[in-house]
Every structure is written in structure tokens, then in C-alpha cells.
């Protein structure tokens, strides 16, 4: 807020000693309860604030009192004094913000930073279990309260306060330093804070304690937002070399761009921090002498382990050995191997009557008895002379057959070795006469067209004489002078000869 109320009394019993931090939703003071002379921390909202701010102050104080934990800034009392100042009494003693501690001393010792990080994670676990979300976790909202010599307890404050984008409503109006703890999914201003965005903010705080600076900064608000979304954080090894190698992966996991890749709860983050820093510390950084490995001790352990493993394998193999004479006993009720098809004895009979053969030593062919088909048991389905079932029917060839004596020559060729020219009929208007079938009577049809034209002085005949079939050619009708048709070779009735 704009007012510094240091030295004033609140509710006639709390004296404000010093301002710890100022915020848009209340100022935090170190104070003293004058009635019991005990230091307290007072969160004060001036009287001239509007009613909306006072109502939000009351709701935040009530929410903070709902979840109690040693690492949360617990609200013990709440009220409004006679002058209209709203106040909330908290349990921190002589606190300072973590941001102030880093600004004063720079990087924190690794052990202290990890311890504070575990306390922040424990506070978030309790807060999230109660169904609450911080939404504005920054180093300025973490209080360090001294309770003993060189010991500090972290107190997470500012629960439920508005973040920079919620408060301003515009990215360009927010200060770049206020955006340093914003999760990538909140940079657009459309998503609401949740438990995983609180984990990201806790990762930024732990990184800042170890490196002395936040991982992402810039001169303009948009520069910071783009780095949150696109760029990986600089490695911690660029700032210090005394960290165990298992610590940085835990912090980088909390700073993952994707919420699903981060620790899913404060308890998970706290456990990983404890496991990462609870291992063997860096001896060189701690100032302790580095122990050298004993070669002979290592060799002896390897030898003993190898011998033990070999003995175990030998024992297991020997104990499971079987004796065929005692274990593999024949089955008294067993049957010998039976063939798939019943035996016919044909194969054995063929072997008994097989004549003696002279076996050529260079021949690789198998000997088969005469008239016996190879393979199987020698069964011949054609031996009965009747086609077996499924065999095609035999169709004898048709037509006349000519037996040609190779010594006398072919009757279809001239004796002088010439070529017989067979005229091919050209008939475009009539159908050619069908050739008579061999062995049938060529009966004359009175309506059939004559195969050849008779001379002009010849008397017409009532029937057309059949032409002699010529092999390999059909008879042909020509407009040349008519010639006497050749009588058909037929044992039946012959047609009348024209011109006789």
C-alpha cells in the first residue's frame, strides 16, 4: 500500500515496529503485542481503502486460517480497529522475505536452499489437500522466520492474492519482475492458476536460491513471457559447482513447460529434493578428503561373487540330472506306432517276385519291377482295362483313314513331284454345298443349287451331282467354261451325268 504506518498502534495493543513488505492487498509489519510483550507479525490494510479491497482482505485472511501448517503463514486473529484499519495477526516472528535474503546475500548455501524448498513444497501439499491454490507464489511471498540460532522456518504467505495478470488485466502493464514466477500455461492470461502452476513457481524459487537470480528475466514483459514458453533455463552449473548431480534434474522437472511433466504434488517435489540432496555429498565441496577406491578389495569381491554364482549354477544343473535307465521307463499300456493306411501286402509281394537285376554301381536310379507303376504299393488303376472312376471317356477319331506306303509315295502328291493347285470357290451370294460325310449316301436334293454349270446344249438335270470331296480344300464355282463334274465316290446311288 502507499502508507507506512511504522510506530503506530493498531487495535490499541499492537505496535508496528517495521515494514516487512508492501503489497496491493495489505502491508506486512513486524509488530509487538504490548499487552504480553510478545513479537508478532501484523498484516494491515489502511482505513482509506475501498470496500472491495476490505472484503478481499477478509476472505484471504479467512482462507489462510483454514489451512494450518508450520510452513504456512497462519492467521491467529482478525479484526478492524476503531480507526477503520483492518488487520490480521500472524504467527511469524521477526520475518524477512526470501527475496530480501537473496538480495542481501546472493546465492544461498545448497543445504539451506534445499531445506527451504522442501518446506515450501510441504506447505503447498497442505494447501492443495485443503482444495486451495496459492496462485501468486513468489520469493516475496515466502517469509523466513528465525526461531533458533542460524535456523529459519519458511512461511508461505499471500495465499489467494491476485497474480500480476489478474491484477493488471494486461501483460504490458505488468512489471517484468512480477512475471518471473509465472507458469508457461498462464502466460496467455486465459488459464487459471492450479496446483501444477504452483509447482512451477516453487521450482523458480528454488532455482533462484541456488543461482542468485531467476531463470527468466527481461527488459519487457513480453520478453519474460516468451522465455517462459520457449527457452530452457540456463544450467545451474553456470552459477556454481558445489551441487550434487542429482539435484538439478529435480529442479528442471519442476520447470517443465508441460504441466504433465512436472512433479504432480508438493509431496512428490519434497521427496525428490530430499532424495537428491540426501545422497553422498560432494567430498571436494564439503572439504572432506576424497577416498580412493581399493583395487584389491574390488577384485576380491568380484572373484567371490563369480565363484558363488558358478557354484550355484553347477549345483542346480547336477541336482536336476536324470538317469534314462531309471526315469525313462516304457509304458506298459503303450501301443506301437501304427500306419495311417492299412497294409495291403502288395509291396511285399512285388519284392518277393522281383527278378534279379544287375545293379550298376554308377547308377542312382531306383529299380522297379516290370509293369509296375513307381511309388506307393504298385497299384495300377488301368490294369483291368476299364477306365477308373473319374477318367475321361474315350472318343475314337472320325473320318476316313488312309494307309500310305512310304515306298510308293503319297496319293495326295503328283508322281512328278509337282504341286496340285486346288481352286478356291468365290461365292458371295450363295451358300457352298456341304461336303458329304464319309461312309454316308450322297442323296441328291432336287432343290439344291448345282455345284457346276453344264454346257449350253445339255439337257437340264433334276438333281445336282455331288462333287468329289477334295482333301484340304472346298469345291469352288467359277464363271469359266463349264466342265464335266466329277462323280462322287459313293457306294450308294449316283447322280445322272449331264451331257451324255
Amino acid at each position: 500500500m502507499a502508507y507506512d504506518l511504522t510506530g503506530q498502534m493498531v487495535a490499541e495493543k499492537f505496535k508496528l515496529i517495521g515494514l516487512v513488505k508492501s503489497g496491493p492487498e495489505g502491508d506486512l509489519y513486524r509488530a509487538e503485542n504490548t499487552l504480553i510483550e510478545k513479537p508478532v507479525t501484523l498484516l494491515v490494510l489502511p482505513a482509506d481503502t475501498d470496500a472491495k479491497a476490505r472484503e478481499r482482505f477478509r476472505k484471504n485472511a479467512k482462507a489462510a486460517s483454514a489451512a494450518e501448517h508450520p510452513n504456512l503463514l497462519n492467521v491467529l486473529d482478525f479484526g478492524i480497529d476503531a480507526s477503520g484499519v483492518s488487520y490480521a495477526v500472524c504467527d511469524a516472528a521477526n520475518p524477512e522475505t526470501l527475496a530480501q535474503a537473496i538480495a542481501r546475500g546472493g546465492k544461498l548455501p545448497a543445504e539451506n536452499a534445499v531445506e527451504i524448498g522442501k518446506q515450501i513444497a510441504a506447505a503447498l501439499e497442505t494447501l492443495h489437500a485443503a482444495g486451495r491454490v496459492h496462485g501468486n507464489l513468489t520469493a516475496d511471498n515466502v517469509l523466513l522466520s528465525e526461531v533458533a540460532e542460524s535456523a529459519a522456518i519458511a512461511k508461505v504467505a499471500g495465499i489467494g492474492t491476485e497474480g500480476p495478470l489478474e491484477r493488471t488485466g494486461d501483460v504490458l502493464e505488468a512489471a517484468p519482475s512480477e512475471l518471473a514466477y509465472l507458469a508457461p500455461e498462464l502466460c496467455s492470461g486465459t488459464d487459471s492458476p492450479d496446483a501444477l502452476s504452483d509447482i512451477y513457481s516453487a521450482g523458480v524459487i528454488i532455482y533462484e536460491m541456488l543461482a542468485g537470480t531467476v531463470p527468466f528475466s527481461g527488459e519487457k514483459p513480453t520478453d519474460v513471457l516468451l522465455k517462459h514458453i520457449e527457452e530452457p533455463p540456463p544450467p545451474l552449473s553456470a552459477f556454481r559447482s558445489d551441487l550434487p548431480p542429482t539435484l538439478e534434474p529435480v529442479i528442471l522437472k519442476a520447470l517443465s513447460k508441460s504441466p504433465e511433466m512436472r512433479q504432480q504434488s508438493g509431496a512428490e517435489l519434497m521427496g525428490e529434493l530430499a532424495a537428491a540432496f540426501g545422497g553422498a555429498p560432494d567430498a571436494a565441496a564439503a572439504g572432506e578428503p576424497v577416498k580412493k577406491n581399493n583395487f584389491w578389495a574390488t577384485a576380491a569381491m568380484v572373484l567371490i561373487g563369480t565363484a558363488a554364482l558358478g557354484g550355484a549354477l553347477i549345483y542346480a544343473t547336477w541336482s536336476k540330472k536324470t538317469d534314462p535307465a531309471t526315469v525313462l521307463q516304457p509304458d506298459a499300456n503303450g501301443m506301437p506306432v501304427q500306419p495311417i493306411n492299412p497294409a495291403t501286402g502288395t509291396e511285399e509281394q512285388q519284392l518277393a517276385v522281383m527278378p534279379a537285376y544287375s545293379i550298376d554301381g554308377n547308377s542312382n536310379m531306383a529299380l522297379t519291377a516290370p509293369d509296375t507303376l513307381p511309388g506307393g504299393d504298385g497299384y495300377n488303376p488301368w490294369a483291368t482295362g476299364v477306365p477308373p472312376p473319374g477318367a475321361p471317356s474315350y472318343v475314337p477319331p472320325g473320318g476316313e483313314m488312309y494307309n500310305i506306303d512310304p515306298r510308293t509315295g503319297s496319293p495326295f502328291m503328283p508322281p512328278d513331284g509337282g504341286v496340285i493347285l486346288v481352286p478356291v470357290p468365290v461365292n458371295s451370294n450363295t451358300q457352298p454345298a456341304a461336303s458329304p460325310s464319309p461312309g454316308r449316301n450322297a442323296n441328291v436334293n432336287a432343290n439344291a443349287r448345282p455345284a457346276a454349270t453344264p454346257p449350253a446344249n445339255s439337257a437340264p438335270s433334276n438333281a445336282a451331282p455331288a462333287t468329289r470331296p477334295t482333301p484340304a480344300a472346298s469345291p469352288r464355282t467359277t464363271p469359266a467354261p463349264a466342265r464335266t463334274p466329277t462323280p462322287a465316290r459313293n457306294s450308294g446311288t449316283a447322280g445322272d451325268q449331264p451331257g451324255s
Side-chain angles (χ1 to χ4, degrees), residues 253-306:
K253 181 178 178 181
L255 294 176
S256 298
K257 308 298 182 185
S258 174
E260 291 76 13
M261 300 298 294
R262 304 170 195 155
Q263 292 87 354
Q264 298 301 298
S265 65
E268 183 179 354
L269 176 59
M270 180 174 57
E272 292 186 5
L273 288 173
F277 203 78
D282 189 352
E288 299 178 359
V290 180
K291 296 182 179 181
K292 296 183 179 179
N293 292 329
N294 192 329
F295 172 78
W296 294 110
T298 305
M301 294 298 296
V302 172
L303 182 61
I304 294 174
T306 304

Side-chain angles (χ1 to χ4, degrees), residues 393-404:
S393 302
Y394 173 73
V395 180
E400 297 184 7
M401 299 181 60
Y402 294 90
N403 295 324
I404 302 174

Side-chain angles (χ1 to χ4, degrees), residues 324-423:
T326 58
V327 178
L328 302 179
Q329 295 293 337
D331 187 4
N333 299 323
M335 296 292 293
V337 177
Q338 300 293 328
I340 298 177
N341 296 322
T344 60
T346 305
E347 194 71 22
E348 290 78 3
Q349 183 179 4
Q350 292 292 342
L351 293 176
V353 301
M354 181 182 296
Y357 288 95
S358 61
I359 301 176
D360 187 1
N362 296 327
S363 175
N364 294 325
M365 298 180 60
L367 298 178
T368 308
D371 299 332
T372 302
L373 295 180
D377 55 358
Y379 172 69
N380 185 2
W382 297 89
T384 60
V386 179
S393 302
Y394 173 73
V395 180
E400 297 184 7
M401 299 181 60
Y402 294 90
N403 295 324
I404 302 174
D405 189 354
R407 296 171 295 179
T408 59
S410 174
F412 301 103
M413 300 298 291
D416 54 356
V419 179
I420 298 178
L421 299 178
V422 180

Side-chain angles (χ1 to χ4, degrees), residues 131-349:
R132 299 283 297 174
V133 175
H134 193 289
N136 189 27
L137 183 60
T138 65
D140 201 46
N141 278 331
V142 176
L143 304 180
L144 299 180
S145 177
E146 295 183 0
V147 295
E149 297 181 0
S150 68
I153 294 181
K155 296 279 189 178
V156 176
I159 300 172
T161 58
E162 294 180 343
L165 297 183
E166 296 174 332
R167 185 171 59 255
T168 61
D170 189 358
V171 174
L172 299 179
E173 295 182 4
S177 59
E178 294 178 331
L179 303 175
Y181 305 90
L182 198 65
E185 62 269 22
L186 302 181
C187 291
S188 62
T190 57
D191 295 342
S192 299
D194 58 8
L196 296 181
S197 63
D198 285 347
I199 296 294
Y200 183 90
S201 301
V204 175
I205 294 174
I206 300 172
Y207 184 100
E208 184 181 7
M209 289 189 292
L210 294 172
T213 182
V214 292
F216 306 112
S217 59
E219 296 181 357
K220 297 184 296 183
T222 53
D223 296 340
V224 181
L225 296 180
L226 289 177
K227 289 181 180 181
H228 276 298
I229 297 173
E230 299 176 353
E231 295 185 8
L236 286 173
S237 57
F239 301 96
R240 59 196 303 167
S241 59
D242 60 339
L243 300 179
T246 55
L247 179 59
E248 186 169 5
V250 176
I251 301 172
L252 294 179
K253 181 178 178 181
L255 294 176
S256 298
K257 308 298 182 185
S258 174
E260 291 76 13
M261 300 298 294
R262 304 170 195 155
Q263 292 87 354
Q264 298 301 298
S265 65
E268 183 179 354
L269 176 59
M270 180 174 57
E272 292 186 5
L273 288 173
F277 203 78
D282 189 352
E288 299 178 359
V290 180
K291 296 182 179 181
K292 296 183 179 179
N293 292 329
N294 192 329
F295 172 78
W296 294 110
T298 305
M301 294 298 296
V302 172
L303 182 61
I304 294 174
T306 304
L309 179 60
L313 293 177
I314 293 174
Y315 174 77
T317 305
W318 183 265
S319 61
K320 293 182 178 296
K321 185 179 65 174
T322 59
D323 186 2
T326 58
V327 178
L328 302 179
Q329 295 293 337
D331 187 4
N333 299 323
M335 296 292 293
V337 177
Q338 300 293 328
I340 298 177
N341 296 322
T344 60
T346 305
E347 194 71 22
E348 290 78 3
Q349 183 179 4

